[in-house]
């Protein structure tokens, strides 16, 4: 999403094009990729102004994009259009700006005449600036009448909620300057309540046609970096967006969100591939896969079609006492992709319920094979299995889970994989982040009480993308086996290709007794989860009805046909396109693009497996001293990436990057560029 700056004037012929071209060239010199749009040109041909702007920006866009509205009569555009018997369509100007934004980071829009000159009837450059949320640079002329003209423009801008980034005055002629010219800046400052306007020197005709001379003159008069920064500031929302925001603030209680600080919601309206769009049409990269769920991308034609087709049959039918077509197909597909031995598929709606079902199955299985003492679960520091009370009972994130302790059942907490501090010191102290009793040790000493070990294989996602060392999972699975405990693999985050294998347990050749899959299952379309079980576990629930071995557990929407149809299409299309096989390459590309961040003092490490990646921010990578929580560095970095058109969400001071699995390579590079710039913006003192 490009920043937009609108250059307008206090009247016609005041030198807007010179200023716009000068800013454009100065921005190019500052490394910005600049586009230019002249909102409407009258008195054409010739197209001198458009050509000058295009040359200054070094932009090769076609004339139709630089200058979408061209009219012959040298009049206000709406009037010139009337005389030609045509109508100006504001949308053609907005579309030109959108096209110009694509692949650039700044678009300079030059108005036609003054701020309130009608481009179409009822539509002015002020309306355009308002719709884009763009600040104004107001160009006026030095001399008599300047105080009124400039003040009127500034005041009408303010009345419309527009920001004025700068006011600049240009001399009209080579005539010697009198008292009016000399006193203008101070007088305008007093009358309009702005900083004293800058004055640009008068340029010779040849200099006025030379982008570099213009850039020199503009840079001498104006603080161009400050003006460009103003173009970045939060854009003004449209009225429709405003109404939605107010309603959201009034009624929607958001999850994992401090509502007291929830003041400025970004309202998403539609999406396409790796991008989402807000209600004002701004485009963002979905760098979190809409919380770790999107696989192929948004509006994936194969999944869209499958859901539509299923809608033509049945949206919901229960699995309690009935079967349905998509849930059967999906079960077959899951079993084919799962590690050997997992042959039974129990559906639910989300990750938490998949984990709950697995724990209940494990518990009853142990009871029914005569292991009455096995009532406990081993879980890990930093682990996350959902927010229902059962899954919170095996949750290892104190911030989320400790408060509910009185409501939870007793579980055995084991040490997490060694954190960066422990790895670096080579020791294994009883560290706050990862320390405690090793799971294998716990299973040796208290294994007889343990029904199952609940583990996120290979990556502890919510802990901050903590990647387990090679062999860690294997060792704990073996220890569980030796202790007679089951292994529950919670693949809610890691499953469906996220780590570069369809299931993460494949990296270690581990065969769990129970496996939970949810987030990516339907490709990010509809809630559906599954708990896969072995024949051995399944058999514990078989018997005559009046033996009451039935699994008395289920949710209303379990096995929902629409969601299962989306999942079937997702898995089929992922296979057809070989998506999982390409995840490691894409992940490595993303990591390489982010690697320069490791030179910053504030980046401790970049952790990654497949397309699960975390950038760990600290005060000092040497000492690993954390940043003060009050700084909210992770959150602020993500707000900065958002301004650069990339949506990310942190876990504390770990910035999580989890784009859709099929994100094109250039979009991955765009995420990396936005994140690097955002880190520099929030922690500038850390830049070398
Ligand atoms: C997200 C997550 C869950 C919980 O899933 P919900 O769909 O939010 O209930 C459980 N386990 C892991 C590993 C997760 O990442």
């Amino acid at each position: 999403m490009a920043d937009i700056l609108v250059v307008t004037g206090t009247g016609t012929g005041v030198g807007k094009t010179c200023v716009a071209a000068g800013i454009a060239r100065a921005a190019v010199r500052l490394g910005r990729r600049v586009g230019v749009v002249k909102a409407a040109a009258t008195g054409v041909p010739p197209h001198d102004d458009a050509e000058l702007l295009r040359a200054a920006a070094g932009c090769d866009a076609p004339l139709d994009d630089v200058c979408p509205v061209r009219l012959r009569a040298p009049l206000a555009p709406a009037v010139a259009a009337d005389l030609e018997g045509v109508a100006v369509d504001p949308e053609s100007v907005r579309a030109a700006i959108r096209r110009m934004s694509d692949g650039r980071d700044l678009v300079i829009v030059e108005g036609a005449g003054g701020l309130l000159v009608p481009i179409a009837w009822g539509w002015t450059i002020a309306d355009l600036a308002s719709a884009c949320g763009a600040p104004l640079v107001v160009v006026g002329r030095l001399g008599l009448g300047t105080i009124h003209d400039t003040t009127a423009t500034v005041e009408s801008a303010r009345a419309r909620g527009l920001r004025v980034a700068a006011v600049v005055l240009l001399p009209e002629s080579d005539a010697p300057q009198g008292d009016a010219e000399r006193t203008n800046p101070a007088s305008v400052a007093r009358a309009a309540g702005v900083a004293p306007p800058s004055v640009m020197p008068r340029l010779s005709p040849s200099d006025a046609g030379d982008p570099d001379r213009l850039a020199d003159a503009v840079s001498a008069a104006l603080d161009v970096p400050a003006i460009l920064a103003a173009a970045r500031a939060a854009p003004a929302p449209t009225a429709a967006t405003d109404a939605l925001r107010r309603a959201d603030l009034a009624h929607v209680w958001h999850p994992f969100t401090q509502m007291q600080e929830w003041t400025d919601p970004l309202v998403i309206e539609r999406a396409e591939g790796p991008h989402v769009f807000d209600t004002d049409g701004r485009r963002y990269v979905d760098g979190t896969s809409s919380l770790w769920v999107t696989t192929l991308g948004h509006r994936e034609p194969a999944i869209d079609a499958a859901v539509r087709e299923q809608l033509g049959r049945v949206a919901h039918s229960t699995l309690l006492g009935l079967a349905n077509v998509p849930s059967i197909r999906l079960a077959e597909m899951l079993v084919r992709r799962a590690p050997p031995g997992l042959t039974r598929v129990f559906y639910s709606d989300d990750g938490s319920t998949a984990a709950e079902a697995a724990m209940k199955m494990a518990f009853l299985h142990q009871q029914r094979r005569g292991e009455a003492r096995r009532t406990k679960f081993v879980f890990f520091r930093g682990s996350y299995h959902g927010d229902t009370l059962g899954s919170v009972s095996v949750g290892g994130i104190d911030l989320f889970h400790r408060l509910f302790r009185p409501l939870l059942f007793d579980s055995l907490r084991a040490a997490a994989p060694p954190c960066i501090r422990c790895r670096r010191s080579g020791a294994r102290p009883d560290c706050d982040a990862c320390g405690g009793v090793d799971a294998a040790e716990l299973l040796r000493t208290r294994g007889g009480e343990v029904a199952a070990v609940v583990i996120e294989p290979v990556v502890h996602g919510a802990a901050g993308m903590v990647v387990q060392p090679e062999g860690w999972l294997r060792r704990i699975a073996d220890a569980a086996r030796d202790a007679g405990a089951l292994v529950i693999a919670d693949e809610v985050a890691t499953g469906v290709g996220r780590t570069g294998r369809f299931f993460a347990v494949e990296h270690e050749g581990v065969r769990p007794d129970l496996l939970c899959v949810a987030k990516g299952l339907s490709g990010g379309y509809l809630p559906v989860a599954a708990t896969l079980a072995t024949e051995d576990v399944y058999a514990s629930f078989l018997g005559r009805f009046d033996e009451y071995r039935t699994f008395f557990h289920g949710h209303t929407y379990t096995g929902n046909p629409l969601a299962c149809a989306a999942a079937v299409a997702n898995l089929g299309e992922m296979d057809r396109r070989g998506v999982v096989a390409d995840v490691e390459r894409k992940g490595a590309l993303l990591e390489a693009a982010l690697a320069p961040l490791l030179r910053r003092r504030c980046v401790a490490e970049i952790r990654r497996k497949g397309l699960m990646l975390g950038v760990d921010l600290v005060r000092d990578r040497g000492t690993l001293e954390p940043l003060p929580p009050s700084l909210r560095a992770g959150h602020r970095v993500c707000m900065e990436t958002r301004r650069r058109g990339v949506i990310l969400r942190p876990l504390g001071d770990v910035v999580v990057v989890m784009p859709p699995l099929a994100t094109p390579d250039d979009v991955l590079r765009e995420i990396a560029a936005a994140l690097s710039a955002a880190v520099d913006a929030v922690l500038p003192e850390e830049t070398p």
Side-chain angles (χ1 to χ4, degrees):
M1 188 62 218
D3 303 328
I4 298 177
L5 183 70
V6 170
V7 179
T8 187
T10 60
T12 192
V14 292
K16 283 193 309 291
T17 306
C18 288
V19 173
I23 295 175
R25 177 54 64 95
V28 169
R29 289 179 184 170
L30 289 168
R32 307 290 295 269
R33 289 169 302 167
V34 182
V36 281
V37 172
K38 186 159 171 69
T42 55
V44 296
H47 303 293
D48 299 353
D49 286 1
E51 291 301 346
L52 177 60
L53 287 170
R54 190 154 62 168
C59 142
D60 55 7
L63 189 63
D64 278 344
D65 282 359
V66 176
C67 194
V69 176
R70 301 190 293 272
L71 299 156
R72 278 188 299 275
L75 300 167
V79 181
D82 281 353
L83 291 184
E84 275 180 45
V86 297
V88 174
D89 180 4
E91 178 51 29
S92 67
V93 181
R94 288 193 289 261
I97 294 173
R98 277 200 298 276
R99 283 194 297 276
M100 201 56 88
S101 298
D102 203 30
R104 300 196 173 83
D105 43 37
L106 172 70
V107 177
I108 296 175
V109 180
E110 188 196 333
L115 187 63
L116 303 185
V117 167
I119 296 176
W121 292 113
W123 194 70
T124 65
I125 199 73
D127 295 316
L128 176 63
S130 174
C132 302
L136 304 175
V137 171
V138 174
V139 183
R141 90 202 136 71
L142 217 48
L144 283 176
T146 294
I147 300 174
H148 166 269
D149 292 352
T150 312
T151 306
T153 300
V154 169
E155 286 198 350
S156 48
R158 282 201 194 117
R160 286 163 177 76
L162 296 170
R163 292 169 293 137
V164 176
V167 180
V168 60
L169 303 177
L170 275 65
E172 222 171 355
S173 68
D174 288 324
Q177 302 204 350
D179 287 341
E181 288 80 2
R182 203 170 40 73
T183 53
N184 269 168
S187 310
V188 167
R190 285 180 76 174
V194 293
S198 320
V199 176
M200 242 171 79
R202 175 139 179 99
L203 296 168
S204 69
S206 68
D207 282 357
D210 177 339
D212 280 306
R213 295 258 81 88
L214 287 170
D216 292 341
V218 162
S219 301
L222 294 171
D223 183 352
V224 174
I227 291 171
L228 299 186
R232 284 243 168 105
T238 63
T241 300
D242 242 2
L244 283 165
R245 284 188 180 165
R246 274 198 303 275
D248 181 274
L249 292 172
H251 302 300
V252 181
W253 187 349
H254 289 260
F256 279 94
T257 302
Q258 177 43 261
M259 294 307 291
Q260 188 172 308
E261 291 171 9
W262 181 255
T263 51
D264 197 18
L266 175 63
V267 187
I268 299 300
E269 187 176 50
R270 61 194 176 87
E272 195 75 53
H275 294 110
V276 295
F277 295 80
D278 71 11
T279 41
D280 295 329
R282 284 187 201 83
R283 191 180 82 167
Y284 305 86
V285 179
D286 183 359
T288 64
S289 295
S290 291
L291 222 89
W292 313 5
V293 297
T294 313
T295 54
L296 294 159
H298 297 277
R299 302 290 321 283
E300 167 57 38
I303 308 180
D304 281 8
V307 172
R308 274 203 205 94
E309 201 191 329
Q310 185 58 40
L311 269 174
R313 300 173 196 278
V314 57
H316 183 62
S317 166
T318 181
L319 281 200
L320 277 64
L322 294 171
N324 71 55
V325 180
S327 68
I328 298 168
R329 295 266 174 272
L330 178 57
E332 283 180 321
M333 292 175 97
L334 280 171
V335 168
R336 251 195 322 254
R337 286 162 177 76
L342 292 166
T343 47
R344 300 289 169 171
V345 178
F346 185 89
Y347 286 111
S348 62
D349 311 326
D350 51 53
S352 309
T353 52
E356 296 261 339
M359 287 191 282
K360 281 184 168 182
M361 287 173 184
F363 167 73
L364 286 179
H365 172 70
Q366 296 286 17
Q367 297 293 304
R368 285 169 186 180
R369 61 184 198 124
E371 297 275 353
R373 282 185 59 233
R374 292 187 184 271
T375 58
K376 291 205 163 50
F377 294 92
V378 169
F379 70 104
F380 298 84
R381 238 183 222 277
S383 63
Y384 178 81
H385 302 290
D387 294 324
T388 54
L389 286 173
S391 51
V392 170
S393 294
V394 291
I397 301 180
D398 276 349
L399 175 67
F400 304 162
H401 300 144
R402 191 177 35 207
L403 294 171
F404 299 107
R405 190 67 70 214
L407 304 181
L408 306 180
F409 58 75
D410 220 16
S411 299
L412 302 174
R413 188 170 77 166
C419 71
I420 179 175
R421 287 168 186 79
C422 297
R423 283 206 316 275
R424 196 179 282 180
S425 68
R428 198 63 206 270
D430 198 15
C431 161
D432 264 357
C434 65
V437 186
D438 180 75
E441 179 60 30
L442 207 49
L443 285 158
R444 262 191 301 280
T445 52
R446 298 184 65 177
E449 303 164 52
V450 178
V453 176
V454 189
I455 189 163
E456 293 168 78
V458 181
V459 185
H460 286 190
M465 300 299 136
V466 176
V467 182
Q468 298 161 5
E470 218 179 295
W472 200 79
L473 176 66
R474 173 85 256 165
R475 185 174 64 82
I476 286 163
D478 288 347
R481 206 67 82 219
D482 291 346
L486 302 187
V487 173
I488 299 174
D490 177 351
E491 295 252 13
V492 170
T494 52
V496 197
R498 194 38 84 174
T499 67
R501 299 289 187 92
F502 191 82
F503 286 121
V505 287
E506 295 169 38
H507 290 288
E508 300 254 315
V510 163
R511 295 183 182 186
D513 303 279
L514 291 151
L515 182 150
C516 309
V517 55
K519 284 191 169 99
L521 184 52
S522 69
Y525 270 62
L526 285 153
V528 55
T531 304
L532 275 62
T534 59
E535 287 297 316
D536 194 28
V537 170
Y538 178 70
S540 294
F541 294 82
L542 300 179
R544 283 193 327 275
F545 172 74
D546 56 6
E547 289 176 69
Y548 301 119
R549 295 166 72 90
T550 306
F551 187 38
F552 290 108
H553 178 109
H555 302 283
T556 314
Y557 278 96
T558 285
N560 174 261
L562 276 183
C564 289
V568 166
N570 175 45
L571 300 189
E573 187 63 14
M574 282 179 69
D575 265 9
R576 208 181 59 74
R577 284 166 43 185
V579 169
V580 180
D582 205 23
V583 163
E584 178 52 33
R585 185 193 64 80
K586 284 189 184 291
L589 182 152
L590 177 65
E591 185 177 353
L594 285 166
L597 271 178
L598 288 169
R599 289 199 292 268
R600 311 285 200 286
R601 207 151 68 93
C602 62
V603 176
E605 66 174 347
I606 296 176
R607 299 186 281 266
R608 180 185 71 84
K609 191 80 185 175
L611 271 170
M612 296 179 90
L613 186 146
V615 178
D616 194 341
L617 302 173
V618 291
R619 169 165 274 167
D620 182 338
R621 56 179 290 133
T623 63
L624 295 175
E625 185 192 345
L627 289 155
S630 58
L631 191 63
R632 298 194 71 197
H635 171 77
R636 286 174 54 204
V637 166
C638 292
M639 289 301 111
E640 284 292 329
T641 65
R642 187 182 288 190
R643 295 211 314 192
R644 291 165 173 79
V646 174
I647 293 179
L648 296 176
R649 186 175 162 86
L651 288 158
D653 283 340
V654 178
V655 178
V656 173
V657 187
M658 264 183 58
L661 302 183
T663 302
D665 293 357
D666 56 342
V667 177
L668 295 174
R669 290 189 196 98
E670 193 184 331
I671 295 172
L675 179 49
S676 303
V679 169
D680 284 347
V682 173
L683 301 162
E685 73 282 5
E686 308 294 345
T687 313

